[in-house]
Amino acid sequence: MLQDCFEHVDWDMFRIASDNNIDVYADSVSEFISKCIGDVVPIANIKTFPNQKPWIDGSIRAKLKARTTAFNQGKATGNMFEYKQCSYSLRKAIKQAKRQYRDKVESQFNGSDTRGMWQGLQSITDYKKKASPVADHDVLLPDKLNNFFARFEDNTVPPTRPATKTCGLTFTAANVRKTFKCVNPRKAAGPDGIPGRVLRACADQLAGVFTDIFNQSLSQSAVPTCFKRATIVPVPKKAKVTELNDYRPVALTSVIMKCFERLVKDHITSILPDTLDPLQFAYRPNRSTDDAIAITLHTALTHLDKRNTYVRMLFIDYSSAFNTIVPSKLVIKLETLGLDPALCNWVLDFLTGRSQVVRVGNNISTPLILNTGAPQGCVLSPLLYSLFTHDCVAKHASNSIIKFADDTTVVGLITNNDETAYREEVRALGVWCQENNLSLNVSKTKEMIVDFRKQEREHPPIHIEGTVVEKVESFKFLGVHITDKLNWSTHTDSVVKKAQQRLFNLRRLKKFVLSPKSLTNFYRCTIKSILSGCITAWYGNCSAHNRKALQRVVRTAQRITGGKLPALQDTYTTRCHRKAKKTIKDNNHPSHCLFTPLSSRRRGQYRCIKAGTERLKNSFYLKAIRLLNSHH
């Protein structure tokens, strides 16, 4: 019905009535669509019960009620015969309902309905049960959180840019239609109340009017106000919340605007050079945490292979990095990178004058207008942050600054106890942060020193903003526990413990009499994914004891599933070979240069990297080269 409704709308009347005002145009169209949704789409209230399994239906609830009645009557009369019959009938009904639910889950697996299958498996095992929502008894909490999230706001007048030529970027109705049809229909609607399901179903009918709105927005370098509104949903970072900083601000924004952002993002990435910021491993194809960890370890191990050397690693923590982006400084950097000045003005307008409220339960804060930062949850925010920090690079050849989104690591290679370059690097980073409005959280910034020299020496601490940075023996770097001895006992112990907890869920599924195929699928997605996380970076240097502990989990899972599961050693070898092949094909990958092909007579083979220690010899890149040469 909605499609028929939109099919017969004269969308031109909204453009004519707006008199070239983009705010009026977008607002009137959005409100009309919302009204049509309210008039046409039926609303159903579904009642749910806590701890109720999906196989408990009305007939079983009736049998439960009958058993309770029979028990009370039996206690009064002393005759429990009817109660026993009701109990038997209930047990039989539950057993049959479970069998039917199991068959339903199995059929979803066989029918490629992976989402339905996973919902079924989670219902059976209580796996990843949703955390309880933020308590809404404190009516002042939304305003407190809104002011806290806006603490980096400088309260200055939004910067204005000089008028430029009309933006040359335009989109076609086919572009917009394709983007609408790719919308995830299960994502929450933004403040405009237009769900993604409607955009996806009515893409053909709505593509034309929104193409006109998007192009008019670009030509005027102005984003409609209704597209910039955001509702912040605070998500607890940990189970027990003790302060406002324990909440993560996740922004619910217009789904229409997210589609618009996706189109702009694709355009910006298409004109940026592939060599830009090579040590930023987030938000880029063929880059991952595996690459960031492997590069960091290779840089350190290669240096430690030399005499009288050690490595200092500084793990930087920023306070709300995305919320500190200064739009005016970002636009200058975008122009330097060669973006159209009119498009830069559009980005400036996108980041300024944003209305934001915080919603906690049924309580909503008063709105604030923000001119600093990029909301977490927007499609463009990660790209804009990476472009804002692309000039944060090492000043000295003996240092490296490795980034994964806002996780920044300074790796200092020290020779003959000369730390001058490293300390200057840390000072320069502090100055860069001040110039770019990034706030260093010194209390959470940690330093680890890797020194394998026999003679122990005292290492003077690093100071940032007059505060001593804490030295640690172990640090969780991008999900992997790295120690100052570069052994992996701490990481494997953590991984084994977490995987063993997941084995309990696998046993529950086994008790539910699921097929070995479904059990294996659950193992692969919930247990193997833990055991093999970033495996290419650390497994090569694991001790025999650690490998046995990891493989013991695999053998236990194999007994439960009843099927053959691949050994972790095979998984490690396969992934090393696959990652090496991808790196070789990617000429812009920062580790591409490590794979040097030999002469044409030995085509397909690569020059081995010299290694004086077993640590370096067993690291990823050397292992990958040996694998490639052996497969040739």
Side-chain angles (χ1 to χ4, degrees), residues 359-374:
R359 187 181 70 208
V360 179
N362 295 321
N363 300 321
I364 299 178
S365 70
T366 53
L368 292 178
I369 304 299
L370 303 184
N371 298 306
T372 304

Side-chain angles (χ1 to χ4, degrees), residues 95 117 139 142 176 187 232 259-260 303 326 351 507 614:
K95 192 173 182 180
M117 182 200 70
V139 295
V176 177
K187 291 290 185 182
I232 304 297
C259 294
F260 192 5
H303 183 68
V326 180
L351 293 176
R507 289 189 179 97
E614 286 297 312

Side-chain angles (χ1 to χ4, degrees), residues 15-293:
R15 178 172 48 80
I16 296 168
S18 68
D19 194 23
N20 209 32
N21 187 317
I22 188 65
D23 285 333
V24 175
Y25 190 8
D27 222 8
S28 58
V29 170
S30 298
E31 287 179 3
F32 175 76
I33 293 172
S34 296
K35 184 181 184 306
C36 290
I37 293 171
D39 293 343
V40 174
V41 178
I43 299 174
N45 293 323
I46 301 173
K47 192 175 182 181
T48 59
F49 301 90
N51 300 325
Q52 179 177 292
K53 296 297 182 182
W55 54 83
I56 304 293
D57 56 11
S59 62
I60 292 178
R61 280 196 291 271
K63 289 181 183 294
L64 276 167
K65 192 174 181 181
R67 187 189 65 171
T68 304
T69 304
F71 177 79
N72 293 333
Q73 290 176 351
K75 290 289 283 184
T77 61
N79 184 4
M80 302 296 286
F81 178 75
E82 188 178 349
Y83 166 71
K84 290 180 181 178
Q85 280 191 323
C86 289
S87 296
Y88 173 75
S89 176
L90 176 63
R91 287 197 302 271
K92 188 176 179 181
I94 290 176
K95 192 173 182 180
Q96 184 178 358
K98 280 187 174 182
R99 190 183 302 114
Q100 291 173 349
Y101 189 74
R102 182 195 66 209
D103 294 340
K104 178 185 174 184
V105 172
E106 294 282 1
S107 66
Q108 288 169 335
F109 177 73
N110 296 326
S112 300
D113 182 8
T114 52
R115 182 179 178 85
M117 182 200 70
W118 273 105
Q119 285 177 341
L121 296 180
Q122 289 173 354
S123 298
I124 296 168
T125 61
D126 291 327
Y127 173 71
K128 278 196 174 179
K129 203 169 186 179
K130 287 185 178 179
S132 56
V134 181
D136 60 351
H137 57 270
D138 185 359
V139 295
L140 298 178
L141 181 60
D143 283 308
K144 292 178 184 175
L145 285 170
N146 205 16
N147 289 320
F148 179 76
F149 294 149
R151 66 191 184 279
F152 298 104
E153 186 67 25
D154 58 8
N155 295 319
T156 58
V157 178
T160 55
R161 300 282 294 172
T164 59
K165 294 180 181 179
T166 303
C167 181
L169 174 63
T170 57
F171 301 120
T172 64
N175 298 142
V176 177
R177 186 183 302 110
K178 183 180 178 181
T179 307
F180 281 178
K181 288 185 176 181
C182 292
V183 168
N184 186 344
R186 297 179 181 89
K187 291 290 185 182
D192 57 9
I194 300 175
R197 189 181 302 276
V198 170
L199 293 179
R200 183 166 179 156
C202 305
D204 294 328
Q205 291 76 28
L206 297 177
V209 64
F210 281 113
T211 300
D212 192 40
I213 291 174
F214 294 171
N215 288 334
Q216 189 170 322
S217 170
L218 288 168
S219 67
Q220 296 180 10
S221 295
V223 180
T225 305
C226 62
F227 286 176
K228 293 196 284 186
R229 296 192 189 106
T231 300
I232 304 297
V233 179
V235 178
K237 296 178 183 177
K238 49 189 179 181
K240 190 175 181 180
V241 173
T242 56
E243 57 182 354
L244 296 178
N245 201 31
D246 291 337
Y247 292 102
R248 178 175 285 107
V250 178
L252 283 180
T253 57
S254 168
V255 181
I256 299 168
M257 186 60 203
K258 285 182 179 178
C259 294
F260 192 5
E261 291 176 63
R262 192 164 284 111
L263 292 166
V264 174
K265 173 178 169 286
D266 291 343
H267 170 74
I268 293 175
T269 52
S270 69
I271 61 176
L272 290 174
D274 294 329
T275 54
L276 181 69
D277 201 4
L279 294 182
Q280 171 60 273
F281 291 92
Y283 321 124
R284 307 180 78 170
N286 198 27
R287 306 287 191 278
S288 65
T289 52
D290 297 52
D291 296 293
I293 297 167

